[in-house]
Amino acid sequence: MGDMTNSDFYSKNQRNESSHGGEFGCTMEELRSLMELRGTEAVVKIKETYGDTEAICRRLKTSPVEGLPGTAPDLEKRKQIFGQNFIPPKKPKTFLQLVWEALQDVTLIILEIAAIISLGLSFYHPPGESNEGCATAQGGAEDEGEAEAGWIEGAAILLSVICVVLVTAFNDWSKEKQFRGLQSRIEQEQKFTVVRAGQVVQIPVAEIVVGDIAQIKYGDLLPADGLFIQGNDLKIDESSLTGESDQVRKSVDKDPMLLSGTHVMEGSGRMVVTAVGVNSQTGIIFTLLGAGGEEEEKKDKKAKQQDGAAAMEMQPLKSAEGGDADDKKKANMHKKEKSVLQGKLTKLAVQIGKAGLVMSAITVIILVLYFTVDTFVVNKKPWLTECTPVYVQYFVKFFIIGVTVLVVAVPEGLPLAVTISLAYSVKKMMKDNNLVRHLDACETMGNATAICSDKTGTLTTNRMTVVQAYVGDVHYKEIPDPSSINAKTMELLVNAIAINSAYTTKILPPEKEGALPRQVGNKTECGLLGFVLDLKQDYEPVRSQMPEEKLYKVYTFNSVRKSMSTVIKMPDESFRMYSKGASEIVLKKCCKILSGAGEPRVFRPRDRDEMVKKVIEPMACDGLRTICVAYRDFPSSPEPDWDNENDILSELTCICVVGIEDPVRPEVPEAIRKCQRAGITVRMVTGDNINTARAIAIKCGIIHPGEDFLCLEGKEFNRRIRNEKGEIEQERIDKIWPKLRVLARSSPTDKHTLVKGIIDSTHTEQRQVVAVTGDGTNDGPALKKADVGFAMGIAGTDVAKEASDIILTDDNFSSIVKAVMWGRNVYDSISKFLQFQLTVNVVAVIVAFTGACITQDSPLKAVQMLWVNLIMDTFASLALATEPPTETLLLRKPYGRNKPLISRTMMKNILGHAVYQLTLIFTLLFVGEKMFQIDSGRNAPLHSPPSEHYTIIFNTFVMMQLFNEINARKIHGERNVFDGIFRNPIFCTIVLGTFAIQIVIVQFGGKPFSCSPLQLDQWMWCIFIGLGELVWGQVIATIPTSRLKFLKEAGRLTQKEEIPEEELNEDVEEIDHAERELRRGQILWFRGLNRIQTQIEVVNTFKSGASFQGALRRQSSVTSQSQDVASLSSPSRVSLSNALSSPTSLPPAAAGHPRREGVP
């Protein structure tokens, strides 16, 4: 399209306009194809077809200054023509798909097969049935009617399988739904600043339309594609689209293309939105991925039929990945290792499963052997052909008993309990201002041993106010009287503050009477503007006189400069630059200072040292942040070289130094005390001056005077942890971190180094689990590296939220303590469930096994077992996993990674209760008929009616489980098991509900449940034996655990399993391994996409036979990328990180933007 003449374009455009009813001067397709160009190509294209960005704004009927009028009809029209800023999510799995997935469970499949065989055989009446010669190994005649009822057992098993499947599917479905709700909530909360009708407003990202003028600033994640109109020093990290880590500088005349999904790393500016939703670059990629799974499947089928060329094309991608691209994608989703709990649970479940399998196999073998030996050897019966079906039925019955043992042994309720517990916690944590993005983060938080927290906004209120100032040689301890300040100084001061701050920062009148004025934008700048207002001056007129468009040059604030400067052109053509920043940094660059008369006088290094001692340190010791405001004048000719920053930012004249107070949040000291009591070390990592940091740390209670601790500055920290060559050494970090409490003047890299150092440390016997809070874009790496990353919901940038696991919706440190409480609660809930579950498992397996071996028939029937399984799995997981947390959880130390899931106390409880239950059940089994004066249920023939005897055993068994569920509420050996039971209505409901259903099953269950109705006195006995559980629980609690050395714990993670192999032999390099994997995944990922795009384009081109050039252009870039992939897949890790950090090490063709190389 670039080579079309203008007239061509206009004639084509006319046609489009007519089709759009003459709405806008450009169509969606044109804008979309424009956004695919990069750099100079794009600039040329804009010049040729539109003239300039202003012209595009005119065509889109928008004003670069005023924005859209924002009327409803206009916005609607734009949505209809250009689409909405919304990428439709992948279709959720339907309920039926989830049911199908639940059916894939191995144990269930075995059961289904057994049930179907059993059903089939019950309907098959062989001719030899009347033949007396067939072995009815156990005596007793059968009623005709009961033989008919043989199908019931099979049907009942099938029914219970259906129950289990539906419950599982429903749980998955609700989990998915909750997760979607969470996603949409996160999306709704994401707002973006746009200009409408001249007003700056914040609207939800989904409301942005083509033609909107969006204000972008440091830390934003761009929500749509657009063209850069005006701004300062804008640098974008486009690695999420291109995989290149270099920041791209944007300017109107060189590269105005801003793409959705990229991060603003520096600067600010305005853009006109040109493509939204599915038409934006990210949207196009999402569409290519096929938002729905069906397209992917279709694609797979197509891909198989595609010609060899395309197949060859995809090859390097796979070899470079060392495996399938898909696996990599999934592996990339979770950046962290398996959470502690998952690791322990998986291990435990596998162990239990193996044991169950062995038990069930032995049961089946014993039953079969006993039957064959008894029938054919002892009774010397011949094998008659007509009797075969009867024998098969016996074998099927044995098989079913075996499977039943297995079903009971395998705790398939475990994953369910974990899911329910986490989902419940996540839902409740929303109320405690924790928005959990990754489920397992919630549980990891319970194991946290260290929290590295930001100061500003997390520990403090983030409402900055200037409380002290040093102006005109006087140090004012409160806001000075405006009349005491020289008029010249005052004017400079007001201008310096008003102009040299982001124009998006304002102070608005309070929403309610008597409330504080609202601070919008950067809080430090708000504090300074507030100072201007306190001096009875106004910053608005200054700003309207010097609007943002007229600013000559802006050096925006970043973590390297630690200052911000703005250059303006004076009426006499000369230049003036205003600067502000951290006082010790800006003062070093000052050579003059304004005196009381408002005249500059010389400011020598020794004056500076004196000022630091007399003014800055006392301010900092009061916990104030010190900011220095300065200026410098430049002549009009020769014009200074603005790119030479070091020369520009020197020889300044200091106007004033202010002390800004950011008061500690009132609830923080208490929260920190709770953390310390719970065995969690809180460290403060801040960019502030060390004295300020120390003062705040004392106020918060992070450090207590007289303790042995370290407060370091970033420089000193780096000096201590690096060797002569400047490399970081782990043993050096190990010397520092245990005592380090405050790290001041720290850069983002320092924060990352510290977190990584603590996590990798082997200094303590437990591996440290570190939580980090962050709000800035530069906190991203540290948030990613930490075990749990907390981002600030209000002050946090999109990049920080993206990298985090939990978002604090109120930016408050005390919410972190709530997260710890919930995390520990999840862990405890799972342990409670396990204690209950394993008692049932042990008892049921032993009963089924020994019963089968001694009486050839399990006292607990398959269907009964499934019901027990349902109680103990699904219901108990619901009941025990939803216990609300209590403050007592914060009184103990964290469990750590190698503490076993099942402690000695729990093991004692499990075995103790198992002994009680087994004793009673076996007593009932062998002498029960005498105690209750009823018929013995032992040795009943194949289809005999259910006996009261076995029903009593079943009922007692269930009653004991019910009362033991109450015992299971406590796992640390507490006496009062009823403590707080009414705070958990779910628990009470489930226990009572189970009891009610049990009555129904026993009294009316009949044949399917193998139950016969019981009398009242028999019921009383069953309940009485059940109640015995509570008494027995008290007896067990009296036995000291310390005496029982022989008890083994189970489900611990050893050090070895915890660290994946590659981490052990990883060379320690600057780029973190996980980060690199992510990036490498991204690069390969986008190359894959590019390939798909190329193939689609080639196919389309062949279809249309039209301009072959576009496809060729893509093709060339793809070939260059396959070389590029080859360079990536080399075995050494180091080359990979080099290939990422410096584009020069890539093959020349690939060093540019993947789509930039063109064929002329």
Side-chain angles (χ1 to χ4, degrees), residues 1056-1124:
K1056 241 203 188 103
E1057 291 164 23
E1058 182 172 317
I1059 305 171
E1061 291 300 285
E1062 60 266 36
E1063 271 182 36
L1064 289 171
N1065 51 30
E1066 177 183 82
D1067 323 353
V1068 181
E1069 292 152 13
E1070 273 307 315
I1071 284 195
D1072 170 32
H1073 177 60
E1075 197 80 331
R1076 196 175 330 140
E1077 280 297 312
L1078 254 164
R1079 235 183 244 176
R1080 168 178 165 189
Q1082 258 176 2
I1083 294 182
L1084 293 167
W1085 179 224
F1086 282 108
R1087 292 211 179 109
L1089 282 179
N1090 251 3
R1091 283 208 187 106
I1092 299 171
Q1093 277 176 333
T1094 313
Q1095 286 159 21
I1096 294 173
E1097 236 166 76
V1098 171
V1099 174
N1100 290 347
T1101 313
F1102 276 128
K1103 273 189 204 150
S1104 60
S1107 85
F1108 198 47
Q1109 248 180 354
L1112 263 175
R1113 181 164 62 227
R1114 270 290 164 65
Q1115 196 54 43
S1116 74
S1117 82
V1118 168
T1119 43
S1120 70
Q1121 280 160 4
S1122 44
Q1123 302 161 353
D1124 188 10

Side-chain angles (χ1 to χ4, degrees), residues 16 159 166 255 353 538 677 974 1029 1036:
N16 272 337
L159 192 73
L166 286 179
D255 183 0
D538 191 4
R677 207 172 45 216
E974 297 94 328
E1029 269 289 356
I1036 295 178

Side-chain angles (χ1 to χ4, degrees), residues 157-177:
I157 294 179
L158 278 182
L159 192 73
S160 42
V161 165
I162 291 171
C163 267
V164 172
V165 166
L166 286 179
V167 167
T168 320
F170 178 73
N171 268 301
D172 286 346
W173 180 76
S174 57
K175 184 171 97 185
E176 170 89 355
K177 198 168 125 221

Side-chain angles (χ1 to χ4, degrees), residues 436-478:
V436 183
R437 293 181 67 234
H438 298 138
L439 271 184
D440 48 1
C442 151
E443 167 267 322
T444 312
M445 206 43 221
N447 287 313
T449 54
I451 298 176
C452 297
S453 171
D454 266 3
K455 175 180 76 72
T456 312
T458 314
L459 299 172
T460 57
T461 54
N462 204 6
R463 247 203 95 79
M464 308 276 186
T465 36
V466 173
V467 287
Q468 296 188 21
Y470 179 87
V471 192
D473 295 342
V474 188
H475 183 175
Y476 297 95
K477 286 288 167 80
E478 58 247 0

Side-chain angles (χ1 to χ4, degrees), residues 642-718:
W642 299 113
D643 289 338
N644 184 348
E645 249 180 78
N646 289 343
D647 288 358
I648 300 282
L649 286 179
S650 59
E651 301 184 16
L652 306 174
T653 305
C654 169
I655 304 174
C656 74
V657 173
V658 294
I660 296 187
E661 181 185 42
D662 184 6
V664 172
R665 286 174 178 265
E667 60 281 350
V668 163
E670 175 57 23
I672 287 180
R673 203 160 47 246
K674 280 183 190 163
C675 282
Q676 288 162 341
R677 207 172 45 216
I680 301 170
T681 314
V682 183
R683 295 184 174 82
M684 180 160 107
V685 183
T686 172
D688 241 346
N689 154 333
I690 186 144
N691 296 322
T692 312
R694 194 184 287 121
I696 298 271
I698 291 173
K699 281 184 191 163
C700 291
I702 291 177
I703 51 183
H704 302 286
E707 277 183 2
D708 180 20
F709 57 79
L710 282 175
C711 293
L712 294 180
E713 282 201 339
K715 272 203 190 105
E716 172 67 7
F717 173 69
N718 274 311

Side-chain angles (χ1 to χ4, degrees), residues 325-484:
D326 217 37
D327 297 346
K328 186 58 151 238
K329 190 167 85 193
K330 282 184 187 138
N332 254 334
M333 293 271 292
H334 274 297
K335 53 180 194 277
K336 299 180 182 162
E337 48 189 307
K338 252 206 285 208
S339 83
V340 193
L341 189 63
Q342 281 170 328
K344 292 179 181 177
L345 280 176
T346 319
K347 203 174 160 201
L348 194 68
V350 169
Q351 290 168 342
I352 297 175
K354 281 181 186 159
L357 203 62
V358 173
M359 289 292 272
S360 66
I362 297 175
T363 314
V364 174
I365 293 167
I366 291 182
L367 285 170
V368 171
L369 281 177
Y370 189 98
F371 175 76
T372 41
V373 170
D374 187 61
T375 312
F376 302 124
V377 181
V378 182
N379 299 345
K380 297 196 172 58
K381 294 220 171 132
W383 179 294
L384 302 170
T385 41
E386 61 265 31
C387 288
T388 310
V390 182
Y391 298 143
V392 172
Q393 257 181 314
Y394 268 107
F395 291 144
V396 168
K397 177 180 160 188
F398 298 150
F399 180 61
I400 288 181
I401 292 174
V403 173
T404 312
V405 172
L406 180 66
V407 169
V408 175
V410 176
E412 66 272 27
L414 263 184
L416 192 66
V418 178
T419 310
I420 291 178
S421 181
L422 286 174
Y424 173 75
S425 305
V426 167
K427 208 166 179 177
K428 290 282 189 219
M429 280 169 82
M430 289 288 284
K431 293 202 178 88
D432 287 338
N433 304 310
N434 282 298
L435 182 71
V436 183
R437 293 181 67 234
H438 298 138
L439 271 184
D440 48 1
C442 151
E443 167 267 322
T444 312
M445 206 43 221
N447 287 313
T449 54
I451 298 176
C452 297
S453 171
D454 266 3
K455 175 180 76 72
T456 312
T458 314
L459 299 172
T460 57
T461 54
N462 204 6
R463 247 203 95 79
M464 308 276 186
T465 36
V466 173
V467 287
Q468 296 188 21
Y470 179 87
V471 192
D473 295 342
V474 188
H475 183 175
Y476 297 95
K477 286 288 167 80
E478 58 247 0
I479 301 284
D481 187 83
S483 57
S484 63

